[in-house]
Each structure stands twice: as structure tokens, then as C-alpha cells.
Amino acid sequence: MTGACFAEVGHQVTCVDNDRAKVEVLKSGGMPIYEPGLEEIVARNTEAGRLSFTDSTAEGVEKADVIFIAVPTPPLPDGSVDMSFMERVSRDIAVAMKGYKIVVDKSTVPVRTGEKVAETIRRYCKAKVEFDVVSNPEFLREGFAVEDFMRPDRVVIGVRSQRPVAAMKEIYKPFDAPIIVTDINSAELIKHAANSFLALKISYINAVSIICEATGANVLEVANGIGMDPRIGRRFLDAGIGFGGSCFPKDLSAFIHIAGQVGYDFRLLREVQRINAEQMERFMKKIADTLWVLRGKRIGVLGLAFKQNTDDVRSSPAIELCQRLLHEGAILRVHDPKAMTKARAILGDSVTYVDDMNAVAEGCDALVVATEWDIFKKLDLDRARKVMTHPIMFDGRNLFDPVEMERLGFVYKSVGR
Ligand code: UGA
């Protein structure tokens, strides 16, 4: 993603991955993930000779003045971060370095990782060449990654000296975004603090949704009302069945862990996690209270991805919901516009995969909306009502209008309304 977008603005880019199969797919014009717009950019820039792929770190390092590290930093069972990929790639880069390089960390990492990377490179670089380590955190949202990359709100560049600053600014010049230069530790912290704050915003509105439900207020109206204050902002105030994905849950745990290491119990963020977990519980309870017994009930689930515009199902609340419903004995018919293949790797044959979203409702006792795909708003509700044994919808993403749903003859339950 980063490589393709840098090529798109005219830079010469070599993408390195140690997964040879992935490199071969990309070389032959394929795309291992679904991300709107990415395939075209990769094709265009490969064709133009600005973008190439290799599994050789030595080759990538040799060709580059600036090396971006974008490896996974997955969570460990205790909530801390697995830094083994980061350590490994730092060593590989060090061994391959024959002249001055700028080594930029784009992966989400705990504060002080830059120091470790520098130490590692110093230790393993036999040529003893000069280098600079830079922290340049990534703020892309999956599903909107190209858009976010091409039009960033800000570019954060964390440095230890001024030496790499000019080159970094040059790289980002075509993007016309505000650039802030900080020390490395601050840049690293900005990433965890930003993601945790966004997760906090979601948990906040989810907590408010509980009060709304108890008082007959409407969480959408509350979100609109508070979101118009520019100090608050409307985005990331959509109540639902909670946040998931490969970033927020992991980054929250990591930040809590980092805080713990410096002697601070980040209770606020632990509460954010707790509210998120409870949101799913509450939604399950809503379904169970209405359907009474779930065993043997046929339920149609719309959405499997952790959010719209992606095929990513990692830590997807929708998948968790399916697993819980299955555990209670429900029979599931599921659909997602992009994530069916990846969902199958987790759910296997325990559910029926339905290609047409309008066919999901057939013979169902209830429909559940689990992912906020825009396309679901175009669901043929008349048809759904007719083919369901009971027209009940549990909308975990507040996609439909309660008044309209009732008018259409649905028993409709959403979140915070
Ligand atoms: C998140 C951040 O938004 C990006 O800025 C960041 O760069 C990225 O993590 C990362 O660290 O790489 P992402 O995980 O792709 O991006 O997805 P989001 O759009 O943030 O959504 C995360 C989850 O929150 C989804 O499950 C979504 O359904 C949920 N969500 C989001 C809500 O429940 N309500 C909202 O109002 C917004």
C-alpha cells in the first residue's frame, strides 16, 4: 500500500516481502488483499517501471536511499507486542547496508522501538556505515487506505537529528499535507495515543447508547448534536456492536501494557475495552430476549468483515457474533460483499454462505446486521419481510430508520434508539 502510493506520486519503489508466494502473486499482476483502488495503482506503476517486487532484502536495501519498515507487530497473549518481525527485519537491513541509509519505521510499535532498531542496526551492520532511524506512523483506515494515503490529515516524522528531515519532507512533498517533526518517542506515542482515543470515542458513544435505550432517546441524534461541536467532531461516534479489526483491540492492549511498564495503570483504557466487550454481550442479550430460545432458530447475518469496504475478518465483531449465535445453537445464513472467503477460513462449514444479500432472509426467524456496509441500506426489505418466517431485524450498525422499518412491518431493534 505505502509502496504503491509512493510510486503513484513519482518515487522509485522496490517492495520487499519474505513471503515468496505473495511476491509472485504481485509480480504476476495479482492482489493478495482487497483494498479499493489499490489494484489499479499497483498495475499502473508496475507498468510504468516505478514499482517492483522482490523477496530479497539485500536487493531492496541496495536500491534504496530510504527504507520503510512495514512489518506486522501482532499482539502476544499478555497484551504486549510481538516485536520479533521488527527485530528480524532490522537485522536483515543492517547486514545489507553498504552506505548511508534512512531507515523509517511505519509499523505500529511501542514507544522507544526506534532506539532498539538503531541499536540493532549498529550491532549487526558489518560495514559500519552511517544511518538514521525515523518514526513515521501510519494513519490509514482499511477500506479507505488509498484515499487516506493520498490525502493525509498530517504526516508525522519522528527524528533524533535534523539529518534525515529534508529527505523525508521531499518524499511527502507531493501529498501537500501538514508535516510535523517530533522526536522519535513522541512520534511512536502519537500512533498509540491516536488509536486509543478513537477507540475511546466509540466506547463513549456506545456507553451513551445504553442511557439512550433506557430513556427513549436516540443515540444518532445525540451523536449528531454533540458532533457538531468541532472540539468533539462527528466522526467515530457511531454506536454499534463495538469496534474490532487488527488495530484498535491490539493497540489498546499494547498502550495499556506500555503504561503498565512505566508504572501507570491506564484504567480509562481498560474501561474502553470493557465497554466494547459488553456492547457485544448486550446485543446478544437483545437477540436472545426477543427470540427466547436460539437453538434451532434460523438467523440471517449481513456482514462478516470487521467493517465495510474490506475483506478483513481479523477480530471482526461480526465473526464473533456468528460464533456466539452458533454456540447457542442457531442456524446461520451469512453474507458479506467481500469477506466470504476469509470468513470461511474461520467459520468453515458451520454456516450457509449466501452470495446474494437479498437471498439471506429466506426462511429466517430473524435478520442481523453486523457490519456497516453501505450496500446493505439497499436491501430489498419488502422481499425480506415476505420470505422470512418472522420479520425481525436486529441492526447492530443502525443502518435503517426505526420508523420506516416499523411501517414496513418489521420488529426492528437497533443500538441506542
Ligand atoms: C484504524 C484507525 O482508524 C486508523 O486511523 C489507523 O491508521 C488504523 O486503525 C491502524 O492503526 O492501522 P481501521 O482499523 O482500518 O483503522 O478501522 P476503523 O475505520 O478505525 O474501524 C475500526 C472499528 O471501529 C471497526 O470495527 C468499526 O466498525 C468500528 N467503528 C468505527 C465503530 O464501531 N463506530 C465508529 O463510529 C467508527
Side-chain angles (χ1 to χ4, degrees):
M1 172 68 225
T2 300
C5 290
F6 278 150
E8 179 74 0
V9 298
H11 300 312
Q12 197 66 38
V13 181
T14 313
C15 291
V16 184
D17 200 300
N18 64 2
D19 181 344
R20 186 168 290 175
K22 196 185 276 179
V23 171
E24 286 311 319
V25 168
L26 286 160
K27 274 184 167 172
S28 60
M31 181 56 58
I33 56 160
Y34 170 72
E35 186 62 49
L38 185 56
E39 202 164 344
E40 294 82 341
I41 294 185
V42 169
R44 188 163 52 238
N45 288 282
T46 311
E47 175 76 30
R50 282 190 298 267
L51 182 64
S52 61
F53 302 94
T54 175
D55 63 355
S56 158
T57 306
E59 185 191 328
V61 170
E62 199 198 321
K63 284 186 183 167
D65 303 312
V66 184
I67 301 153
F68 284 81
I69 302 178
V71 294
T73 47
L76 288 168
D78 68 351
S80 66
V81 182
D82 179 355
M83 296 303 288
S84 57
F85 300 103
M86 199 72 202
E87 193 265 354
R88 179 70 221 226
V89 80
S90 306
R91 269 193 284 145
D92 291 349
I93 291 169
V95 170
M97 274 173 25
K98 303 280 186 285
Y100 174 76
K101 303 282 175 189
I102 300 174
V103 180
V104 186
D105 170 33
K106 257 217 169 298
S107 304
T108 301
V109 293
V111 58
R112 309 194 80 167
T113 294
E115 294 169 12
K116 292 275 182 210
V117 170
E119 211 177 291
T120 305
I121 294 179
R122 225 171 283 125
R123 190 174 304 145
Y124 287 90
C125 180
K126 288 217 179 68
K128 298 293 169 209
V129 294
E130 288 187 18
F131 64 93
D132 275 297
V133 169
V134 173
S135 165
N136 173 219
E138 192 53 84
F139 303 108
L140 309 179
R141 292 162 303 157
E142 277 182 40
F144 301 90
V146 171
E147 202 180 307
D148 286 353
F149 198 96
M150 294 315 233
R151 273 178 294 278
D153 314 316
R154 79 293 205 193
V155 172
V156 175
I157 296 173
V159 291
R160 214 177 47 165
S161 75
Q162 287 305 305
R163 188 172 178 186
V165 172
M168 290 303 294
K169 284 190 170 166
E170 189 62 31
I171 290 174
Y172 279 103
K173 203 167 161 197
F175 297 96
D176 191 28
I179 294 178
I180 62 166
V181 179
T182 69
D183 62 276
I184 297 182
N185 290 350
S186 302
E188 289 167 343
L189 263 180
I190 285 171
K191 175 67 190 193
H192 272 130
N195 270 7
S196 299
F197 189 83
L198 291 168
L200 178 145
K201 242 183 133 176
I202 300 168
S203 275
Y204 180 78
I205 201 68
N206 280 336
V208 170
S209 81
I210 301 169
I211 318 290
C212 288
E213 275 181 30
T215 57
N218 182 335
V219 74
L220 262 183
E221 284 173 8
V222 175
N224 290 339
I226 63 175
M228 282 176 80
D229 182 334
R231 291 171 302 175
I232 297 174
R234 174 63 182 82
R235 294 170 75 190
F236 281 68
L237 283 180
D238 289 321
I241 55 172
F243 57 78
S246 63
C247 301
F248 285 174
K250 146 182 110 91
D251 291 351
L252 268 178
S253 300
F255 205 23
I256 292 168
H257 199 268
I258 291 163
Q261 282 180 327
V262 298
Y264 177 61
D265 178 4
F266 217 144
R267 277 179 306 213
L268 177 66
L269 294 187
R270 286 200 282 118
E271 191 59 23
V272 168
Q273 290 180 315
R274 197 176 65 82
I275 294 169
N276 199 51
E278 279 178 10
Q279 200 67 3
M280 175 64 74
E281 298 286 345
R282 299 175 67 82
F283 193 68
M284 271 300 291
K285 187 168 179 309
K286 208 173 270 178
I287 299 174
D289 283 351
T290 309
L291 300 182
W292 194 13
V293 171
L294 288 175
R295 183 157 301 280
K297 292 277 160 61
R298 279 164 75 93
I299 298 180
V301 179
L302 291 164
L304 297 165
F306 83 98
K307 64 171 196 178
Q308 71 162 331
N309 275 353
T310 180
D311 63 350
D312 196 343
V313 294
R314 288 175 292 171
S315 301
S316 168
I319 298 281
E320 185 187 338
L321 190 69
C322 287
Q323 288 168 327
R324 282 169 178 256
L325 290 168
L326 287 170
H327 183 74
E328 296 297 325
I331 301 158
L332 303 187
R333 291 169 62 74
V334 304
H335 169 80
D336 189 282
K338 292 287 175 202
M340 301 258 262
T341 309
K342 290 196 173 157
R344 196 186 281 271
I346 300 173
L347 298 173
D349 293 328
S350 60
V351 302
T352 304
Y353 300 89
V354 184
D355 285 330
D356 172 8
M357 72 171 180
N358 284 310
V360 173
E362 270 161 34
C364 283
D365 297 287
L367 264 183
V368 173
V369 179
T371 308
E372 64 272 35
W373 281 98
D374 254 343
I375 185 96
F376 293 158
K377 292 182 185 158
K378 301 211 170 83
L379 196 70
D380 185 341
L381 293 165
D382 269 327
R383 173 172 163 193
R385 193 192 58 239
K386 285 181 198 138
V387 298
M388 292 176 76
T389 58
H390 296 97
I392 305 177
M393 184 191 276
F394 300 95
D395 182 355
R397 295 294 177 181
N398 289 350
L399 293 189
F400 298 96
D401 175 23
V403 177
E404 178 63 9
M405 291 303 281
E406 259 172 54
R407 194 188 64 76
L408 287 169
F410 277 86
V411 172
Y412 176 75
K413 308 216 170 200
S414 53
V415 179
R417 302 190 293 174

